[in-house]
Amino acid sequence: MTTKLLTRTALSAGLLLALAGCASQDQAAGWQQDQTYKFTILHTNDHHGRFWTNRNGEYGMAARKTLLDELRADVAEEGGTALLLSGGDINTGVPESDLQDAEPDFKGMNMLGYDAMAVGNHEFDNPMDVLRKQEGWANFPMLSANIYDKATGKRLFQPYQIFEQQGIKIAVIGLTTEDTAKIGNPEYIGNIEFRDPKAEAKALIAELKETEHPDVIIAATHMGHYVNGNRGVNAPGDVALARYLEPGDLDLIVGGHSQEPVCMEAPNVANDGFKPGDDCKPDQQNGTWIVQAHEWGKYVGRADFEFKNGELNLVSYDLVPVNLKKKIQLADGSSQRVFVEKEIPQNSEVKAFLTPYQERGQAQLNVKISESNGKLEGDRNVVRFKQTNLGRLIAAAHMQRAKADFAVMNSGGVRDSIPGGAITYKDVLKVQPFGNMVTYTDMTGAEVLDYLNEVATKPVDSGAYAQFYGIRMDVKNGKVSNVKIGGKALVPSKTYRFTVPSFNAAGGDGYPKLTGHSGYVNTGFVDAEVLKDYLEANSPVNVNSFAPKGEIVYR
């Protein structure tokens, strides 16, 4: 289903004519006056290792290839051309991909015909040499204008790419969230500077207008879409970017990072009830359209434009589901999953290419290590808002391994839930895919109190929100009180040991940096391995034993 007749806020008639005249002078062989040109932007974002279908047969790159071929053929039949862009975050999320440095994903993107991608924050979950290897696998540019080498002051990635279609010159610039400096692995990004993408975009657009004279400017971003610019603790996102620039400077933002379908009910009002197959009207801010296609390749976004005499109109937009399913109730009272729309066949060539990668990963992962009597809760929309049994279980595993008094676990490091029943190594790696180390620090009670005042007060709806085990406290007005460790009141002069992932110990998520503390120790134990061992040793796991019972009280 498509949303029709979405027209960009027009520039004044005089300015349009002036721009059209300049463009025709700059490009003798370019577009023609009074001719209407059709071109389409196809887009995805936040792939996170989902090269294969999920357990319900949804999404996957082979079906996405079939859909993309169909969409391109449709565009060509209408006399248009298309570009395929990604809003970034190809890495991290599925063990079969993570264990192979996302090789199937990047090489699969070549087969699907991606033209460019924004560099996402999760591209830095691996050492820089892995990212450079991935860049070598990709037959398309990885774009970011605001990532710099601290030592040289030079950009680390290509800032933009020029595409010419039908005589229309299209500039695609890349931008990456400043939050990467906070949420990226400090061990890998210590020599990298993430500058303000808004300022970089403004300067780059001015430069492009002087040197390249593009007819259309698009930003492929990994910054997040926050309705009406209400970003909370997050760095400024796509709405702030559009509002920062001059009207008409940026035609379209193809976004990522917040992992949502950007569908609006009214200006600055999101359509929170959007479901696969529904109409989707993208956001528009300051003359700039903003689109995002949820996550994991669940959708391919399709934005159809018309270009005439220097004016760009968005004539239709659609989020096309990739074999997404819904549950329906059967006559006998049971339920069944059915496709929301007609099933998209998997492209045989892409499937054949990806199969060996899937099989190699499966061989390492589908080994039962434990079992439980219920769900261990790690869903993003739960674990980042309150204490959960899985967040606490992970903290308990770290605490036991380090022989600590209590444990702190950032919710952003809990990437999935574990369903009740058999638990495999794959389940563990889906929950903890980053390969962080368990660290501990010995501190006085007075120091612990200072630390908790910074960490326990992190806001909800962020990866910084902390899960705890072995400790009780009240949190009110940005301060903690009534702290008890091991059931006893905190003693300022006593020494306590607590664990925290190496990511946070190095200052990730804005936590206090602990690596220089005299009591700091990196145990060298990888978090996923510690969780795996704990689940094995405590099988069968009683999930209720880890359920929160009012240990952390927010007032």
Side-chain angles (χ1 to χ4, degrees):
M1 301 175 73
T2 58
T3 301
K4 297 291 183 182
L5 300 176
L6 306 173
T7 306
R8 188 183 75 174
T9 303
L11 299 171
S12 68
L15 182 55
L16 273 175
L17 289 173
L19 285 174
C22 290
S24 60
Q25 292 167 13
D26 289 332
Q27 46 182 39
W31 51 269
Q32 301 298 312
Q33 286 282 340
D34 300 325
Q35 182 171 334
T36 299
Y37 298 87
K38 296 182 178 182
F39 75 89
T40 295
I41 299 298
L42 304 171
H43 65 98
T44 61
N45 56 276
D46 294 275
H47 171 81
H48 287 300
R50 266 73 179 186
F51 70 87
W52 202 252
T53 60
N54 70 357
R55 66 182 71 185
N56 297 317
E58 297 177 296
Y59 44 90
M61 296 185 85
R64 196 193 313 172
K65 167 65 171 171
T66 300
L67 174 59
L68 288 167
D69 286 349
E70 291 174 355
L71 294 176
R72 289 186 179 109
D74 186 37
V75 169
E77 190 176 339
E78 295 176 0
T81 53
L83 284 175
L84 175 58
L85 305 176
S86 166
D89 267 11
I90 309 307
N91 285 284
T92 309
V94 175
E96 290 91 339
S97 171
D98 298 341
L99 289 170
Q100 299 174 83
D101 290 336
E103 181 178 356
D105 309 271
F106 281 97
K107 291 184 175 179
M109 289 175 74
N110 294 336
M111 300 181 78
L112 271 59
Y114 278 81
D115 292 293
M117 66 168 275
V119 175
N121 60 285
H122 282 288
E123 268 60 86
F124 296 92
D125 288 344
N126 303 301
M128 198 66 191
D129 62 338
V130 173
L131 181 49
R132 291 305 186 198
K133 180 172 64 175
Q134 293 171 338
E135 202 174 13
W137 288 332
N139 294 337
F140 50 87
M142 297 171 68
L143 304 176
S144 185
N146 65 305
I147 301 178
Y148 286 79
D149 185 309
K150 287 181 179 178
T152 65
K154 294 181 179 179
R155 287 185 172 117
L156 284 175
F157 297 92
Q158 185 177 326
Y160 68 90
Q161 177 71 37
I162 299 293
F163 300 92
E164 188 162 335
Q165 295 191 342
Q166 308 173 79
I168 303 168
K169 207 169 188 182
I170 304 166
V172 179
I173 66 177
L175 298 166
T176 305
T177 176
E178 297 164 86
D179 270 347
T180 309
K182 181 174 70 175
I183 61 181
N185 191 323
E187 296 175 37
Y188 303 148
I189 61 174
N191 297 318
I192 300 174
E193 181 182 4
F194 298 88
R195 296 185 184 176
D196 179 354
K198 305 189 304 304
E200 291 291 316
K202 192 177 186 74
L204 182 57
I205 289 170
E207 178 187 325
L208 288 171
K209 286 181 176 180
E210 286 290 321
T211 59
E212 298 286 355
H213 308 289
D215 301 300
V216 175
I217 302 179
I218 297 169
T221 73
H222 195 81
M223 296 169 59
H225 176 265
Y226 307 110
V227 176
N228 200 22
N230 295 324
R231 58 188 175 89
V233 299
N234 300 293
D238 294 332
V239 172
L241 171 65
R243 291 175 177 177
Y244 181 83
L245 301 172
E246 294 299 317
D249 266 1
L250 193 56
D251 296 291
L252 173 70
I253 296 173
V254 173
H257 188 51
S258 51
Q259 298 181 223
E260 62 188 319
V262 173
C263 303
M264 308 303 289
E265 198 170 88
N268 297 315
V269 179
N271 177 8
D272 293 330
F274 175 80
K275 301 184 299 298
D278 287 354
D279 286 348
C280 176
K281 182 177 180 178
D283 199 1
Q284 188 182 49
Q285 298 286 336
N286 201 25
T288 300
W289 291 107
I290 303 173
V291 298
Q292 190 179 151
H294 202 179
E295 63 186 2
W296 304 355
K298 291 177 178 178
Y299 301 88
V300 170
R302 174 180 176 173
D304 293 316
F305 291 93
E306 287 184 350
F307 178 88
K308 182 179 180 180
N309 294 339
E311 182 178 358
L312 188 71
N313 291 327
L314 176 62
V315 296
S316 67
Y317 183 74
D318 196 11
L319 279 180
V320 186
V322 184
N323 285 344
L324 297 185
K325 294 181 178 181
K326 62 182 178 182
K327 277 187 177 181
I328 60 169
Q329 204 76 18
L330 302 179
D332 62 2
S334 63
S335 63
Q336 179 183 336
R337 292 181 186 271
V338 298
F339 290 104
V340 171
E341 296 186 356
K342 183 180 177 182
E343 181 180 5
I344 301 168
Q346 296 189 59
N347 177 277
S348 57
E349 184 183 358
V350 172
K351 186 176 181 181
F353 173 76
L354 295 175
T355 296
Y357 291 100
Q358 178 70 1
E359 289 176 345
R360 281 197 292 270
Q362 290 282 309
Q364 299 176 60
L365 299 170
N366 284 332
V367 178
K368 178 181 174 181
I369 60 166
S370 186
E371 61 182 86
S372 72
N373 63 347
K375 180 183 181 182
L376 287 164
E377 181 61 74
D379 289 2
R380 181 189 179 106
N381 61 351
V382 180
V383 77
R384 296 188 180 208
F385 289 84
K386 62 182 182 181
Q387 304 293 297
T388 74
N389 55 9
L390 181 53
R392 286 168 49 77
L393 185 149
I394 294 170
H398 295 183
M399 180 175 135
Q400 182 186 81
R401 178 60 64 92
K403 297 181 174 60
D405 298 298
F406 69 97
V408 181
M409 177 66 205
N410 68 316
S411 294
V414 184
R415 305 301 292 187
D416 208 344
S417 294
I418 300 178
I423 300 174
T424 65
Y425 184 35
K426 178 178 179 177
D427 292 322
V428 171
L429 289 175
K430 285 175 72 176
V431 170
Q432 298 211 278
F434 298 130
N436 283 302
M437 303 293 181
V438 174
T439 78
Y440 69 78
T441 306
D442 292 339
M443 279 187 177
T444 66
E447 290 178 298
V448 166
L449 189 60
D450 289 341
Y451 185 82
L452 293 174
N453 274 321
E454 290 198 51
V455 170
T457 56
K458 295 293 183 186
V460 298
D461 198 13
S462 73
Y465 175 77
Q467 300 281 325
F468 295 95
Y469 194 80
I471 189 169
R472 292 175 173 269
M473 72 187 91
D474 293 345
V475 184
K476 182 180 180 181
N477 298 328
K479 293 288 183 182
V480 301
S481 60
N482 300 325
V483 179
K484 293 185 177 180
I485 298 173
K488 297 180 180 179
L490 181 77
V491 178
S493 60
K494 185 178 177 180
T495 298
Y496 298 91
R497 174 175 295 181
F498 68 92
T499 67
V500 69
S502 56
F503 164 76
N504 302 100
D509 275 336
Y511 280 36
K513 192 171 182 179
L514 299 175
T515 50
H517 193 281
S518 60
Y520 171 79
V521 174
N522 185 328
T523 68
F525 296 123
V526 178
D527 53 6
E529 295 301 316
V530 173
L531 178 56
K532 173 177 173 284
D533 291 347
Y534 190 82
L535 289 168
E536 283 178 324
N538 290 277
S539 184
V541 175
N542 180 1
V543 299
N544 299 314
S545 299
F546 299 93
K549 299 178 178 65
E551 292 89 350
I552 314 299
V553 179
Y554 296 93
R555 300 185 187 279

